[in-house]
Amino acid sequence: ADTTPHVALTFIEKYLGAKTHQQLLELTQDRRALVDSLKRTAVEASLFERSAMCMFRLARAENESFANNATGEFADLFSNGFGPLAPTKATPKERLPILKEIAQSTDAIDQSIAIQAFKAALKTRRSRCVTCRDADLLHEDTQGGWIPITYGELWDAYRAVWHLAMECLPTYSPENQRELAGTLESSAIALVTFIGDGSEVVPWLKALRESGL
């Protein structure tokens, strides 16, 4: 998937396209290879949307409980980490429409997956666990991830995710509302000290608490 990402992604799309949701729920033998390959093909901006939607299909049929399962890796695709911590060369602006499409779903499973992506996107402190092979790749120019030109661009990425999450909050199922509200509150507290004097974030937190959700 590193050397021929286009070919690998086309193969994965055909492989997943031939399987039902139930078959994906029962898929265990090839799952880790698929998740790892999609994580790699998503690095390329031109392949990000297709890779993300394949990962989402696996996340909807999740059958693993550890952090870097398909759901966790899908969520990490929307991280606002940059440089060697970025999951992709695609900019947050390019990634947002994909998250928006999923986050605005009326399906509770889709909503719960979107919440994990919101958590990843709003996280201000992060590390990335990589294999030795991945660690080498992170230092190659061809594997460099998105880098914001200014702090303003970085802040725009967080702002856009916050507003999307707030738009979705009142439409979610009660259980997902509680989880998303908790995610937003903890994220807002961290964002207050992330960039600038926090003056923009304080009203966000106030609006969240006044929503009663």
Side-chain angles (χ1 to χ4, degrees):
D2 296 320
T3 57
T4 56
H6 294 79
V7 174
L9 181 56
T10 298
F11 173 82
I12 293 171
E13 286 176 324
K14 290 180 179 179
Y15 179 85
L16 295 180
K19 293 194 176 295
T20 65
H21 179 72
Q22 184 59 38
Q23 287 174 323
L24 291 179
L25 280 171
E26 297 169 358
L27 179 66
T28 56
Q29 184 174 352
D30 298 322
R31 180 174 285 265
R32 295 313 309 162
L34 288 167
V35 169
D36 183 62
S37 293
L38 289 170
K39 178 180 175 182
R40 293 169 180 277
T41 61
V43 170
E44 295 299 327
S46 62
L47 302 180
F48 180 82
E49 181 175 2
R50 291 164 58 198
S51 299
M53 294 312 295
C54 285
M55 191 80 84
F56 174 66
R57 186 141 185 247
L58 287 172
R60 288 202 87 256
E62 190 61 79
N63 61 13
E64 296 175 326
S65 58
F66 39 83
N68 65 333
N69 56 15
T71 304
E73 294 294 357
F74 173 80
D76 191 58
L77 292 178
F78 298 91
S79 160
N80 283 317
F82 53 88
L85 295 181
T88 178
K89 297 175 185 176
T91 67
K93 189 174 182 179
E94 292 171 324
R95 288 177 268 162
L96 189 65
I98 302 163
L99 177 56
K100 184 175 183 178
E101 178 183 351
I102 294 167
Q104 291 182 334
S105 172
T106 57
D107 183 271
I109 294 176
D110 293 355
Q111 293 172 1
S112 67
I113 295 171
I115 290 170
Q116 299 309 308
F118 284 137
K119 288 180 181 178
L122 291 170
K123 190 174 181 180
T124 57
R125 294 184 180 181
R126 56 179 56 81
S127 61
R128 189 176 175 192
C129 295
V130 296
T131 63
C132 292
R133 179 163 170 255
D134 285 336
D136 291 337
L137 291 172
L138 289 174
H139 296 287
E140 296 180 7
D141 291 340
T142 55
Q143 292 294 323
W146 166 73
I147 299 178
I149 298 174
T150 64
Y151 277 112
E153 183 183 355
L154 179 61
W155 187 239
D156 285 345
Y158 282 96
R159 181 188 293 115
V161 171
W162 175 277
H163 288 312
L164 174 59
M166 283 295 290
E167 289 174 12
C168 293
L169 182 59
T171 70
Y172 277 12
S173 66
E175 181 179 353
N176 284 332
Q177 279 186 345
R178 288 190 293 272
E179 184 173 3
L180 180 54
T183 294
L184 287 170
E185 182 166 8
S186 60
S187 297
I189 293 171
L191 287 169
V192 165
T193 58
F194 183 56
I195 296 180
D197 59 4
S199 58
E200 184 176 359
V201 181
V202 172
W204 295 359
L205 187 55
K206 182 180 179 181
L208 174 63
R209 289 176 173 172
E210 289 178 348
S211 71
L213 297 173

